[in-house]
Amino acid sequence: MIKKHSVLGLFSILFLIVTSGFAQNKTVPVFENGEAQIVEGFTNPQDWIRHDLWVETNFDTDEDGKPDRMHVSVTRPKQTDTEDLKLPVIYVTSPYFAGVAADLPGVMWEVEHELGDIGKVRVHPEVTRRGERPIISNSHLRKWVPRGYIVVHSSSPGTGLSDGAPTIGGLNEALAPKTVVEWLCGKATGFTEREGNEPVTAFWSTGKVGMTGTSYNGTLPLAAATTGVEGLEAIIPIAPNTSSYHYYRSNGLVRSPGGYLGEDIDVLYDFVHSGAEDKRPGNNKRVRDTEMKNGMDRQTGDLNDFWNDRDYLNQMAPMKAALLMSHGFNDWNVMPEHSNRIYQKAKEMGLPTQLYYHQFGHGGPPPMTMMNRWFTRYLHGIENGVEKDKQAWIVRENDKTDQPTPYDAYPNPEAKNVTFYLNKGGNSLGDLTTKKNKKQKTETLVDNFNISGKEHAQASNSNNRLLYATPKLKTELHISGESEITVSLSSSKAAANLSIMLVSLPYEDDAKVLTDNIITRGWADPQNHKSLRESEPLKPGKFYDVTFKLQPDDQIIRTGQQIGLVIFSSDKEFTLHPKPGTELTVNLDKTSLTLPVVGGLEAVKIATD
């Protein structure tokens, strides 16, 4: 006879055998070499569960008396239902998912007018919302769901089926994704309908969330991270706009982003305002026609509290998320300073940080291996050592984007500042040397916005720009970091644009060397020579010293090239277009350029002597 306790023991053994076999048949994430692998059981889109919901925030930016609710869509493997599987989340949020305004005549601000004016009143287009439930977007699904992640999308406030008002960098654009992250961690309330009361929970989430996206979609992960929200473990912003001021202004100057001449913050507001039609008039009155109109200041371009409140560098103190940033050194839309300034602060704060820079334009994610290792480490908790990897990854000239060169940090730790001085002859070609030669006196240029920066660099003689160059390089020269220029100038008028290009000469049109032509560039308003917050009219004939940094770069200048400094006034592609004729006179003896050169002065001497 079998004793009772023996029977119970036998049942326990059988239960363990059965459940062990069952567990072995479960579909779970798989990792190799520190990266999440594609798992066959997660790959069939027909098996994915897709649904949408609304997460309730604690703000009411459309002022309808109810908390704004954000529209959220979820795509997850079926095993999160059938096998009670919990997975981490890749979250993407955007104001673009529901459509944008048409590119109509008069949408942009007029730029052909005198400095200090604002030109004609622009038109305000309406957005026709697109998209059907439950799908907000299909982005990132095929990349991450098969690797054992849930992908979540949401529409930003005042766009698509989300309540609220777009603010283009306002506080609600950080608090909205913060609340979605909190819902994913069980700390906020979600509902099945926009107006309903039936709750829905993220029972399938591990409470570990990562965010990514490009451009505006890359800005919002940083916005969410600056709130310090628990559960947002890692972010990968790609070409993010980290400051509206740095996007629409430059050192006191009204400056457009590349390719969007005349755009300003209110233009972008109209462009994305795809939310409820009945809420748009009220939103327009409060946000666009009051807050933005009173704060954006196209007359002076000065920095003020309106712009400071839309700068995420000022809001980073609570941030805890691990940061991997990506940007292009030749991104003249969202310029490379946007990522560098955040990277430097994150380093200073001691956050896990990596930076990936390539030599191309707007967009461009890090290699999949980098992204995979980042999210595997911080969302799945796999100890793959990514935090011990090199901190800076630079795609060298002519290399493939998935083969970056690792460096200890950015700028290159071996880079040292070298000062160059200007020698007369700039209307044709003056010398740019590390030796300061006294009594170079002054040289003058005449503003003409009709001439592009490229034409200025290519002209053998011109009274519309000044051009100075080093001798032809005998060896390669590696520049890494932010260059800085001081220009001592006087103007024939009370206001003038100041534009700078650092170029590699000869300025060629060959597509193979296109990215080598422009090393870096910058713009400034001489009226702001004392402070970005306060401009003052220039006294004709009086000299002012204007000092500012150019865009960060990491570039190897080829043997046989010359480094050329182009000084001109209005930039056809970026600045306002005042009537041609303003004269800028540059005091060469008090003007200098500082370049961050790997190897410092010794490397310059080897390359130029």
Side-chain angles (χ1 to χ4, degrees):
M1 177 181 287
I2 300 176
K3 295 183 180 179
K4 184 176 180 181
H5 69 271
S6 299
V7 172
L8 290 175
L10 180 61
F11 276 123
S12 298
I13 294 170
L14 289 173
F15 176 78
L16 289 173
I17 293 172
V18 171
T19 55
S20 175
F22 178 72
Q24 290 176 3
N25 291 327
K26 281 191 172 183
T27 309
V28 295
V30 174
F31 306 95
E32 291 182 11
N33 300 319
E35 297 181 42
Q37 302 297 302
I38 292 175
V39 176
E40 185 176 353
F42 298 149
T43 59
N44 187 357
Q46 302 301 317
D47 291 338
W48 296 345
I49 299 169
R50 306 196 69 169
H51 56 101
D52 62 344
L53 62 135
W54 279 262
V55 170
E56 187 166 280
T57 70
N58 61 0
F59 54 81
D60 176 18
T61 52
D62 54 22
E63 295 192 357
D64 64 354
K66 298 179 292 184
D68 294 343
R69 291 185 178 184
M70 297 301 108
H71 186 210
V72 177
S73 70
V74 177
T75 303
R76 52 192 175 91
K78 66 178 182 181
Q79 291 84 357
T80 54
D81 265 3
T82 61
E83 299 177 15
D84 195 29
L85 178 65
K86 295 182 185 296
L87 293 172
V89 174
I90 305 294
Y91 171 32
V92 186
T93 185
S94 174
Y96 297 142
F97 288 146
V100 294
D103 186 10
L104 302 173
V107 167
M108 300 293 190
W109 283 91
E110 183 187 27
V111 298
E112 207 162 308
H113 57 76
E114 295 306 300
L115 304 181
D117 295 339
I118 60 173
K120 295 178 182 178
V121 177
R122 51 175 293 268
V123 302
H124 301 294
E126 288 292 328
V127 182
T128 301
R129 189 188 68 80
R130 63 171 173 78
E132 298 179 1
R133 296 177 60 192
I135 298 170
I136 291 178
S137 172
N138 290 312
S139 71
H140 298 271
L141 300 185
R142 294 187 180 276
K143 181 182 291 185
W144 297 113
V145 176
R147 288 180 166 85
Y149 294 91
I150 294 161
V151 175
V152 169
H153 294 89
S154 74
S155 290
S156 295
T159 72
L161 297 180
S162 286
D163 298 332
T167 56
I168 316 302
L171 182 59
N172 68 333
E173 292 190 355
L175 294 179
K178 172 183 182 287
T179 308
V180 173
V181 172
E182 288 175 333
W183 175 75
L184 291 167
C185 298
K187 298 177 182 178
T189 306
F191 297 94
T192 57
E193 296 294 336
R194 191 174 191 173
E195 302 290 340
N197 294 311
E198 182 183 349
V200 58
T201 62
F203 62 86
W204 29 259
S205 169
T206 62
K208 300 289 186 181
V209 182
M211 294 184 70
T212 188
T214 299
S215 197
Y216 207 145
N217 303 4
T219 300
L220 297 174
L222 177 63
T226 60
T227 69
V229 60
E230 295 291 337
L232 182 56
E233 304 295 330
I235 61 173
I236 306 179
I238 301 164
N241 174 358
T242 63
S243 162
S244 294
Y245 186 82
H246 285 253
Y247 189 63
Y248 290 116
R249 306 288 184 265
S250 180
N251 299 299
L253 198 70
V254 175
R255 187 213 64 207
S256 304
Y260 299 92
L261 192 63
E263 185 185 327
D264 213 321
I265 193 167
D266 60 337
V267 178
L268 186 53
Y269 169 93
D270 282 334
F271 189 66
V272 304
H273 197 187
S274 60
E277 287 83 352
D278 64 326
K279 301 294 175 60
R280 294 183 194 179
N283 291 343
N284 292 343
K285 182 179 180 180
R286 288 187 306 276
V287 181
R288 185 191 67 198
D289 302 334
T290 303
E291 182 183 4
M292 288 182 175
K293 182 180 179 181
N294 294 339
M296 58 192 283
D297 185 10
R298 282 185 68 84
Q299 285 90 344
T300 72
D302 292 351
L303 179 64
N304 56 31
D305 291 344
F306 170 84
W307 294 113
N308 261 343
D309 289 344
R310 286 165 166 79
D311 188 337
Y312 293 113
L313 184 66
N314 300 331
Q315 303 168 28
M316 286 181 64
M319 183 169 160
K320 301 186 288 286
L323 174 69
L324 167 59
M325 304 196 82
S326 176
H327 222 115
F329 281 125
N330 287 282
D331 186 348
W332 305 118
N333 175 5
V334 183
M335 300 195 189
E337 66 176 339
H338 282 273
S339 287
N340 181 51
R341 60 205 298 273
I342 301 299
Y343 159 76
Q344 298 298 342
K345 181 63 175 178
K347 262 200 318 185
E348 178 186 312
M349 293 171 62
L351 295 175
T353 306
Q354 285 185 8
L355 182 66
Y356 169 86
Y357 266 127
H358 56 81
Q359 303 293 337
F360 301 101
H362 189 51
M368 183 58 192
T369 290
M370 287 187 71
M371 297 180 73
N372 197 345
R373 280 171 56 78
W374 202 253
F375 282 148
T376 296
R377 170 67 181 86
Y378 294 107
L379 301 189
H380 280 292
I382 302 300
E383 298 283 350
N384 57 15
V386 70
E387 68 274 20
K388 299 176 184 177
D389 288 352
K390 296 287 189 179
Q391 202 174 85
W393 298 76
I394 311 295
V395 179
R396 293 265 53 98
E397 296 76 4
N398 301 316
D399 282 352
K400 295 180 179 179
T401 56
D402 63 352
Q403 296 177 357
T405 299
Y407 297 93
D408 288 336
Y410 179 79
N412 189 309
E414 297 180 12
K416 299 177 182 178
N417 287 335
V418 179
T419 301
F420 291 77
Y421 303 95
L422 284 56
N423 293 271
K424 59 187 177 182
N427 291 127
S428 52
L429 182 62
D431 291 334
L432 190 63
T433 67
T434 56
K435 181 180 179 181
K436 187 172 185 178
N437 297 311
K438 297 180 179 180
K439 298 182 180 180
Q440 295 300 305
K441 299 184 179 179
T442 64
E443 294 192 321
T444 299
L445 64 92
V446 181
D447 184 26
N448 188 343
F449 72 82
N450 294 293
I451 305 171
S452 69
K454 173 184 175 181
E455 291 171 317
H456 283 312
Q458 291 181 321
S460 57
N461 289 278
S462 174
N463 69 344
N464 301 117
R465 59 91 177 116
L466 300 174
L467 175 61
Y468 307 89
T470 66
K472 289 184 179 180
L473 300 182
K474 298 176 182 177
T475 60
E476 292 180 339
L477 202 61
H478 187 176
I479 295 173
S480 179
E482 292 178 304
S483 302
E484 184 174 87
I485 191 163
T486 295
V487 182
S488 181
L489 59 80
S490 68
S491 170
S492 64
K493 292 186 178 179
N497 293 317
L498 176 60
S499 302
I500 300 294
M501 285 176 58
L502 199 63
V503 299
S504 183
L505 299 174
Y507 196 107
E508 302 170 85
D509 290 320
D510 187 339
K512 293 181 180 179
V513 296
L514 188 59
T515 58
D516 293 341
N517 287 331
I518 298 176
I519 299 171
T520 185
R521 64 202 321 169
W523 304 262
D525 184 353
Q527 290 188 326
N528 290 87
H529 60 94
K530 287 185 178 179
S531 167
L532 290 183
R533 280 188 169 268
E534 186 177 354
S535 57
E536 60 181 27
L538 305 174
K539 294 180 180 179
K542 180 179 178 180
F543 279 85
Y544 301 87
D545 293 343
V546 185
T547 299
F548 57 101
K549 292 183 183 297
L550 308 182
Q551 290 296 316
D553 192 47
D554 194 296
Q555 188 172 146
I556 296 174
I557 314 302
R558 296 174 295 152
T559 301
Q561 297 288 101
Q562 295 172 274
I563 297 174
L565 170 65
V566 189
I567 303 174
F568 56 115
S569 184
S570 298
D571 192 322
K572 182 178 182 180
E573 298 171 299
F574 294 92
T575 70
L576 299 178
H577 294 173
K579 184 178 179 180
T582 301
E583 292 185 357
L584 291 184
T585 300
V586 176
N587 183 342
L588 303 186
D589 292 317
K590 295 182 67 177
T591 298
S592 62
L593 170 70
T594 300
L595 300 183
V597 180
V598 174
L601 182 59
E602 185 63 27
V604 174
K605 288 181 177 180
I606 293 172
T608 59
D609 288 350

